[in-house]
Amino acid sequence: MPLDRSVVQNIAHLARLELNAEEEAQYLSQLENILGYFRSLDEVDTSGVEPATEIVDPGDVVRDDVVDNPPAGEELLANAPSRHGRFFRVPKIIE
Amino acid sequence: MEKPTSVAVRKMDYEAIIGLEVHAELLTASKMFCGCSAKFGAPPNQNTCPVCLGLPGALPVLNRRAVEFAIRAGLATNCRIELFSRWARKNYFYPDLPKGYQISQYELPICVGGWLTLDTEEGEKRIRLARIHMEEDTGKNIHDAQVDASLVDFNRSGVPLLEIVSEPDMRTPQEASAYLRKLRQILQYLEICDGNMEEGSFRCDANVSVRPRGSEALGTKVEIKNMNSFRHVERAIEFEIGRQVRALREGEPLVQETRLWDPEREVTRSMRTKEYAHDYRYFPEPDLPPVRLNREWIEAIRQSLPELPDARRSRFVQQYGLPAYDAEVLTSRRDLADYFEAVVASGASPKAASNWVMGDILRVVRERELDRHLRIDQWPVAPNFLAQLIQLIESGTISGKIGKTVFARMLETNRAPEEIVRTEGLVQITDEGALLSEIQQVLAENPDKVAQYRSGKEKLFGFFVGQVMKRTAGKANPQKVNELLRSLLESS
Amino acid sequence: MLEPIWQPLAQVAKELDAGRLSSVELTTQVLHHIEATEPKIHSFLTLTPETALEEARAADERRARGERGPLLGVPIAVKDVILTKGVRTTAASRILENFVAPYDATVIRRLREAGAVFLGKLNCDEFAMGSSTENSAFGPTYNPWNLQRVPGGSSGGSAAAVAAGQCFAALGTDTGGSIRQPAACCGIVGVKPSYGRVSRYGLIAYASSFDQIGPMARTVADCALVLEIIAGRDPRDATSAAQPVPRYSAELERPLRGLRLALPQECFGEGVQAEVRDAVLSAVRWFESQGVAVVETSLPHSRYAVPTYYLVATAEASSNLARYDGVRFGLRLAEEAGLLTMYGRTRASGFGAEVKRRIMLGTYALSAGYYDAYYLKALKVRTLVRRDFEAAFTRADVVAMPTAPTTAFRLGEKTGDPLQMYLSDIFTIAANLAGLPALSLPCGFDQEGLPIGLQLVGRPFQEAQLLAAAHAYEQAHPWKSQHPSL
Ligand SMILES: [Zn+2]
């Protein structure tokens, strides 16, 4: 279970969190501590145990194919940090 | 510059392994997880709501019809329909992905296995499907040079998609494009996808690798994106095979990567290799219960499936006595086959109907770019009118030539052919007396030509026919004119 | 007679019905009380006095037209992770500091229909991640019983506001104990419904397979009145259950006789403050004296509840919080530096330390190579935790235990050690892992005068049984009439 600086950097990148060196070191030591404690799960014999992916079975939960939303009003766009007309505007995406 | 190696040389010692991933947008009225319209072409961000904008607190609720469509697709491609399938989140950041994850299926897709058959030069070939799963579409990033920014529109965000993944069973670009055409045709027959590649409702990514012929090992797989027509698919795969073969020959390394097809330069080019590999961190979607199906529903859907292209093509040959080529063309589109059958059902003979549909009707369809699915009442000419027209010609009421005129008038006016023929006086002249007097008139006006003909210049016969047709505005029955003219010219 | 603001919700509605008090008068009094106490408590992030008075006027008009209802014209407040249309909803985070909710959560819609008056939005740990409300980006809330103590968390603002008489009831949310633990810390009643009982539509998600909205109030009956309004199937939440909703307030007088109470041995051992253990055991003895059968039981996997919960919940959180990317709403920083930097800096500055820690932890648990060892393993242990409860419920109807191992701790006491903070959820988490209904109610005070909470956990969708048992206990004990002196 190797947790090192580069793993922390990779996770921070996946999560899009810009960390400085100090924060990286801090998260590394905290995560090591927390995950070390969490390794207690290794003691548990889970062979043949199904993962709990469903907490309750809520029954039939689908919708009919009906358009019941009105055209989006201004309030849905109003929180945008930057707009161009009815578009959301973001820094240029370079592929 | 990368150049494809010549196909002839390549074919001898390398073979390509091609697998395709198709994304087909489903023709539901509303989106996959919210009640927004899934229609194409609305003003920016009009078809959006908290759910498909990924606003805080919003939750997805599954559209039952999208599931039904997925089952239809699975049944029509011989897949096993899973009674239990699960939603998963695929996590990545991109401005067109509002939640920061796409709701998709991962470990347990709805359809597994399956196949479809292609007609190839070497006979029928079966292409296997790995799986079909459901997922939601993303929004669109528009790159606007004027504002020096990218603009995001979420109208497509949450539109239901099927991802249809083939096994790597194709060996040539032509097979790949034949597979795509077949798949699109089936989805169109099922009326679950309009198959429009330009608008992006039917999209394709290709996985291509090459290996020395006879080798069992798989080569380095390259994914190609950004091909938005059948032609692009063929050209891109062709180019990529050439590039890889050349690299192998010259001992250059090939990297597993994603390459973009550049349709202008007709090359694939590497997307900048990311510093970090993708890690989508799939996990079960906690906001949606698993999809549980019952056999009765699947059976009911199976019963409601339309006749599929292969079956219909064979039937057209057998039932209507059509040539295989005609049957192929007529069944290429479900709406076209429906139209043809409606014309026949209205009393036209199948072969004549086939000729008119494949000729004049498809010409108009091309001219008017009617490439979307047409309802039976949306065709340029109503099927019963086309049948009437065919009957008018076959009964001799009008000539084939006048038939073309009437057809043109039908296009302009939407009137019944009988009415056009009657009101515009287009009925064929078959009355011998009337024809005789016209012919005599022509001969009398051209005594020198008559003399030339009689002295052996038999080519002039056509001239006399033409003159008679001109005088009758094309309405003279051509056979009768031929008979009468010949007897008059040769009698004295 | 009690001042109106300290009356139980059920009582004040009767005053309103009788015309002895108008909603406008009541709301005005409550707003004055908030003004007086808020500098000490800091339970609110946003106050909406103008709209509250409008809603009060509207409620008075509805009542004048003959309408009745236990919440009609009654001032309540809402944890700031629940969307309230037209009102700033921040999740106590910088990243949503200026976010104005464009729609109402389903629970809010239902409460509006019932005529509730909304006073504003209550403080909490950022994105409901925490156990002390110290993780709020806008400063902590102080425990009304002792201002040096935390109110618990994450629904600390809700608990403090109710305890301080600033509202008659509040909505909280409970992912790993965030209703029950602050209820215990502040000496009030808090109900975490069964998973699926209350719609999550419009609740800013922390961990989707755990989150539940629930009522917090000074009495069990008040919680029952709110719960019966907000519970029930919602076509906008595919995980909301179709089970019919009983009228909880009409089922409170169910007799205790025949009830079987289980005590899990794991919850009374080391690490539990002696006064807490004694208070809970003495409450259990009272139940026994009322004819309730008490059995010992064991929840052998409960010792793994904390790691199991923190792996699964943070995994879900890492995905749920991906939408805070500065594109469609919320904070945006460094857009001039390009997309990648915009994402990284917006999220790094917008989220607080604990939120980032949990995003990191969850991202790690899901990432390639670690998924099976952490996330999948935790999901399997989650199954075992549920089975422990199923086994216990073959011999008992209700499981009783302390809500928290200690009474409210000091501000700053645990902020330096995330793991110690996580362990304060040790008794509440299991019910979330198993999706079970659970509540906390006051069962005494420690020597420093800090409230102690008794936790009852029931079978899925057996909220009525829990509420009835809690109500019976509450009727026989004086705790509910004690209020913090402010
Ligand atoms: Zn929508």
Side-chain angles (χ1 to χ4, degrees):
Chain A
M1 205 278 307
L3 189 65
D4 58 26
R5 199 68 170 254
S6 74
V7 173
V8 170
Q9 284 166 349
N10 185 42
I11 294 166
H13 172 74
L14 283 173
R16 297 295 186 274
L17 291 170
E18 192 182 83
L19 302 183
N20 58 36
E22 192 189 329
E23 288 168 316
E24 276 173 18
Q26 194 192 3
Y27 281 122
L28 176 59
S29 87
Q30 288 178 341
L31 291 183
E32 268 177 337
N33 183 27
I34 293 166
L35 288 165
Y37 173 71
F38 287 5
R39 291 312 298 198
S40 66
L41 291 187
D42 291 350
E43 300 163 10
V44 186
D45 179 6
T46 53
S47 48
V49 177
E50 282 294 306
T53 42
E54 233 186 320
I55 303 314
V56 290
D57 175 4
D60 193 29
V61 275
V62 290
R63 31 177 292 274
D64 291 329
D65 183 24
V66 177
V67 177
D68 49 17
N69 283 340
E74 174 63 23
E75 75 279 4
L76 286 179
L77 311 179
N79 282 297
S82 177
R83 277 168 61 181
H84 181 77
R86 284 187 59 92
F87 287 106
F88 295 96
R89 180 178 165 140
V90 294
K92 197 187 254 160
I93 300 164
I94 311 145
E95 264 173 4
Chain B
M1 262 316 308
E2 295 157 317
K3 281 199 183 109
T5 315
S6 104
V7 176
V9 175
R10 185 179 68 234
K11 268 196 173 161
M12 287 166 55
D13 30 67
Y14 287 95
E15 93 178 324
I17 311 294
I18 305 163
L20 296 176
E21 277 176 27
V22 166
H23 286 92
E25 275 187 350
L26 295 177
L27 286 170
T28 51
S30 64
K31 291 185 179 181
M32 190 132 196
F33 298 118
C34 62
C36 289
S37 169
K39 261 214 189 78
F40 200 84
N45 290 305
Q46 178 167 293
N47 294 342
T48 61
C49 72
V51 176
C52 56
L53 285 175
L55 295 190
L59 294 171
V61 182
L62 176 61
N63 182 339
R64 184 199 317 268
R65 196 145 178 89
V67 181
E68 186 195 324
F69 283 6
I71 296 171
R72 272 200 227 175
L75 291 172
T77 51
N78 311 292
C79 289
R80 188 174 78 239
I81 310 300
E82 298 289 352
L83 296 178
F84 183 93
S85 67
R86 203 183 338 255
W87 299 100
R89 291 187 185 177
K90 178 182 183 178
N91 295 284
Y92 65 97
F93 285 87
Y94 209 57
D96 66 9
L97 188 69
K99 299 185 292 297
Y101 56 86
Q102 180 189 32
I103 303 178
S104 179
Q105 295 192 297
Y106 185 57
E107 283 173 316
L108 299 172
I110 188 165
C111 308
V112 177
W115 77 87
L116 47 81
T117 52
L118 305 182
D119 292 316
T120 68
E121 286 166 19
E122 295 91 48
E124 277 199 348
K125 177 167 178 178
R126 184 178 277 198
I127 308 292
R128 293 168 302 149
L129 299 187
R131 59 189 272 159
I132 301 177
H133 74 242
M134 302 179 276
E135 62 185 29
E136 55 176 343
D137 207 347
T138 62
K140 263 201 164 59
N141 297 319
I142 294 149
H143 308 285
D144 189 322
Q146 272 190 328
V147 295
D148 192 37
S150 293
L151 306 176
V152 197
D153 174 11
F154 291 100
N155 279 343
R156 304 313 288 160
S157 162
V159 169
L161 288 180
L162 292 185
E163 181 173 320
I164 304 164
V165 184
S166 84
E167 296 288 357
D169 285 355
M170 287 149 280
R171 295 290 173 269
T172 65
Q174 293 69 35
E175 276 183 15
S177 110
Y179 165 84
L180 284 181
R181 283 174 206 277
K182 188 60 171 277
L183 186 58
R184 186 176 78 149
Q185 186 189 29
I186 290 170
L187 300 182
Q188 287 174 331
Y189 261 66
L190 297 170
E191 296 182 322
I192 64 176
C193 173
D194 69 14
N196 190 320
M197 286 186 88
E198 285 74 24
E199 281 180 5
S201 62
F202 186 83
R203 312 194 280 267
C204 167
D205 301 334
N207 288 307
V208 178
S209 65
V210 298
R211 65 182 174 197
R213 195 165 288 278
S215 158
E216 287 297 310
L218 289 175
T220 306
K221 194 169 77 176
V222 169
E223 186 182 29
I224 318 173
K225 289 179 177 290
N226 196 38
M227 303 169 290
N228 50 19
S229 74
F230 292 120
R231 208 185 117 255
H232 287 172
V233 171
E234 282 191 33
R235 306 280 291 188
I237 295 176
E238 185 81 45
F239 174 87
E240 186 56 27
I241 293 171
R243 188 187 71 85
Q244 292 186 19
V245 166
R246 185 173 142 262
L248 285 187
R249 278 173 188 254
E250 297 177 7
E252 288 167 13
L254 280 171
V255 281
Q256 182 159 346
E257 62 174 344
T258 298
R259 297 177 70 87
L260 285 184
W261 172 242
D262 180 339
E264 316 254 292
R265 295 166 53 217
E266 299 220 312
V267 294
T268 63
R269 55 184 168 81
S270 184
M271 290 175 77
R272 276 189 309 165
T273 4
K274 297 269 150 54
E275 199 178 332
Y276 300 89
H278 279 299
D279 182 351
Y280 291 124
R281 290 157 285 137
Y282 284 99
F283 73 104
E285 163 60 287
D287 287 333
L288 288 167
V291 182
R292 291 193 174 81
L293 304 176
N294 64 62
R295 289 180 205 285
E296 294 72 42
W297 193 37
I298 298 172
E299 265 325 295
I301 294 170
R302 192 195 302 278
Q303 296 308 317
S304 74
L305 286 185
E307 186 182 27
L308 291 169
D310 287 351
R312 200 167 200 185
R313 192 183 52 186
S314 318
R315 180 167 66 77
F316 274 25
V317 172
Q318 279 162 14
Q319 182 179 343
Y320 300 120
L322 295 178
Y325 176 75
D326 288 28
E328 174 83 36
V329 172
L330 291 173
T331 58
S332 63
R333 279 170 62 163
R334 179 177 173 183
D335 54 353
L336 184 67
D338 289 346
Y339 178 73
F340 165 78
E341 294 213 88
V343 175
V344 173
S346 302
S349 76
K351 183 59 193 159
S354 168
N355 289 344
W356 276 94
V357 172
M358 287 170 60
D360 295 79
I361 293 290
L362 282 186
R363 175 179 50 78
V364 177
V365 164
R366 269 191 304 278
E367 284 167 6
R368 298 187 183 176
E369 295 178 349
L370 301 173
D371 39 18
R372 283 183 174 277
H373 181 93
L374 299 178
R375 283 197 319 267
I376 201 69
D377 60 347
Q378 289 174 325
W379 288 83
V381 166
N384 59 325
F385 284 5
L386 185 60
Q388 271 182 26
L389 176 64
I390 291 169
Q391 285 172 315
L392 287 171
I393 296 166
E394 291 190 335
S395 67
T397 309
I398 58 171
S399 66
K401 191 153 182 254
I402 289 293
K404 301 285 178 190
T405 311
V406 174
F407 183 80
R409 300 287 292 135
M410 285 161 74
L411 286 177
E412 289 161 20
T413 63
N414 288 325
R415 286 157 63 207
E418 276 168 356
E419 191 190 333
I420 294 170
V421 167
R422 194 177 64 244
T423 57
E424 302 191 8
L426 297 174
V427 178
Q428 185 162 252
I429 305 166
T430 44
D431 178 71
E432 290 198 4
L435 288 176
L436 261 180
S437 88
E438 298 291 348
I439 292 169
Q440 280 159 349
Q441 201 69 41
V442 168
L443 298 183
E445 282 169 10
N446 298 286
D448 46 339
K449 295 236 168 44
V450 172
Q452 283 171 22
Y453 178 86
R454 285 182 174 146
S455 60
K457 205 169 175 189
E458 293 194 358
K459 270 199 250 167
L460 280 168
F461 190 79
F463 167 78
F464 296 120
V465 174
Q467 289 301 305
V468 175
M469 285 303 177
K470 204 169 161 188
R471 290 185 65 87
T472 59
K475 289 181 287 180
N477 179 315
Q479 276 108 51
K480 284 259 160 67
V481 171
N482 283 357
E483 276 168 36
L484 293 171
L485 191 57
R486 206 170 295 279
S487 69
L488 277 180
L489 284 169
E490 277 155 26
S491 60
S492 41
Chain C
M1 207 194 73
L2 222 49
E3 265 183 274
I5 59 160
W6 288 108
Q7 285 176 4
L9 189 158
Q11 184 58 39
V12 86
K14 282 188 193 126
E15 301 289 316
L16 292 167
D17 282 348
R20 289 193 287 270
L21 187 66
S22 75
S23 175
V24 169
E25 287 162 358
L26 181 63
T27 304
T28 307
Q29 286 186 32
V30 169
L31 287 169
H32 284 312
H33 182 64
I34 292 172
E35 207 177 327
T37 51
E38 191 53 8
K40 292 180 190 165
I41 311 286
H42 188 235
S43 47
F44 281 87
L45 293 179
T46 303
L47 269 168
T48 53
E50 292 86 5
T51 51
L53 286 168
E54 273 169 39
E55 287 158 5
R57 259 187 296 280
D60 285 336
E61 280 164 25
R62 282 167 71 174
R63 197 167 248 113
R65 287 196 299 269
E67 206 176 316
R68 291 292 180 266
L71 261 79
L72 187 56
V74 176
I76 63 168
V78 177
K79 185 178 182 182
D80 207 19
V81 291
I82 299 172
L83 269 67
T84 43
K85 187 172 181 171
V87 176
R88 198 173 76 110
T89 300
T90 68
S93 180
R94 290 271 173 227
I95 214 159
L96 287 178
E97 187 166 6
N98 299 307
F99 178 73
V100 176
Y103 70 98
D104 270 334
T106 296
V107 290
I108 299 300
R109 197 169 42 72
R110 290 185 176 169
L111 289 168
R112 278 196 208 288
E113 282 161 17
V117 169
F118 293 93
L119 297 165
K121 308 301 287 291
L122 295 163
N123 199 10
C124 54
D125 287 298
E126 184 179 5
F127 285 97
M129 295 179 186
S131 309
S132 66
T133 314
E134 291 164 291
N135 294 333
S136 169
F138 308 112
T141 294
Y142 301 87
N143 192 319
W145 294 93
N146 180 335
L147 298 174
Q148 270 75 55
R149 304 279 170 154
V150 300
S154 65
S155 308
S158 302
V162 170
Q166 294 180 327
C167 56
F168 290 90
L171 293 183
T173 66
D174 193 316
T175 307
S178 283
I179 286 175
R180 289 160 288 158
Q181 187 257 15
C185 288
C186 292
I188 63 160
V189 184
V191 180
K192 180 204 96 73
S194 309
Y195 186 77
R197 179 70 298 176
V198 176
S199 167
R200 296 183 294 116
Y201 190 77
L203 162 62
I204 293 177
Y206 157 23
S208 309
S209 74
F210 300 86
D211 295 342
Q212 271 293 294
I213 299 172
M216 303 172 81
R218 291 186 291 269
T219 72
V220 174
D222 291 355
C223 284
L225 286 168
V226 175
L227 183 60
E228 65 197 27
I229 289 168
I230 62 174
R233 177 60 166 276
D234 177 11
R236 291 187 181 278
D237 177 0
T239 63
S240 68
Q243 271 88 343
V245 179
R247 264 197 70 206
Y248 299 114
S249 59
E251 308 237 348
L252 292 172
E253 306 297 338
R254 279 192 196 180
L256 284 178
R257 194 159 293 281
L259 193 74
R260 297 169 305 165
L261 204 64
L263 293 186
Q265 56 186 50
E266 291 82 2
C267 304
F268 296 91
E270 243 178 275
V272 181
Q273 191 181 326
E275 294 150 297
V276 171
R277 184 173 54 225
D278 294 348
V280 170
L281 287 175
S282 114
V284 170
R285 276 194 297 280
W286 178 84
F287 277 107
E288 213 166 12
S289 74
Q290 301 300 302
V292 170
V294 176
V295 296
E296 291 260 318
T297 190
S298 173
L299 300 171
H301 295 95
S302 58
R303 54 188 294 218
Y304 305 108
V306 168
T308 302
Y309 166 80
Y310 276 95
L311 286 168
V312 180
T314 58
E316 293 179 8
S318 71
S319 176
N320 284 333
L321 270 61
R323 67 187 60 192
Y324 305 96
D325 59 3
V327 173
R328 289 146 291 128
F329 54 83
L331 183 74
R332 174 187 289 193
L333 295 175
E335 66 175 346
E336 68 289 345
L339 187 64
L340 203 59
T341 307
M342 178 189 105
Y343 281 150
R345 212 163 292 167
T346 297
R347 291 167 57 78
S349 303
F351 292 137
E354 179 61 24
V355 171
K356 284 189 277 190
R357 192 152 40 236
R358 294 196 193 189
I359 292 174
M360 295 283 287
L361 188 55
T363 304
Y364 180 75
L366 288 177
S367 64
Y370 307 105
Y371 182 90
D372 286 3
Y374 288 104
Y375 179 73
L376 194 61
K377 179 77 180 183
L379 280 189
K380 288 177 178 172
V381 179
R382 188 174 188 182
T383 298
L384 296 175
V385 171
R386 292 171 67 177
R387 285 190 195 158
D388 284 354
F389 277 104
E390 281 162 17
F393 285 129
T394 60
R395 297 172 56 228
D397 308 297
V398 171
V399 175
M401 59 179 113
T403 305
T406 66
T407 53
F409 45 89
R410 285 188 179 74
L411 273 100
E413 189 177 324
K414 298 189 181 183
T415 42
D417 188 347
L419 193 52
Q420 280 313 305
M421 189 72 94
Y422 295 174
L423 289 171
S424 52
D425 297 336
I426 194 155
F427 298 142
T428 45
I429 276 175
N432 301 83
L433 285 168
L436 301 172
L439 58 75
S440 177
L441 77 159
C443 69
F445 293 87
D446 71 3
Q447 285 176 348
E448 299 197 43
L450 293 166
I452 298 168
L454 164 69
Q455 182 179 208
L456 302 177
V457 183
R459 293 196 186 89
F461 302 103
Q462 294 301 315
E463 283 83 357
Q465 191 169 45
L466 288 185
L467 290 163
H471 178 72
Y473 177 83
E474 181 188 73
Q475 294 300 97
H477 292 82
W479 322 123
K480 69 167 188 232
S481 54
Q482 300 193 13
H483 305 300
S485 50
L486 284 159

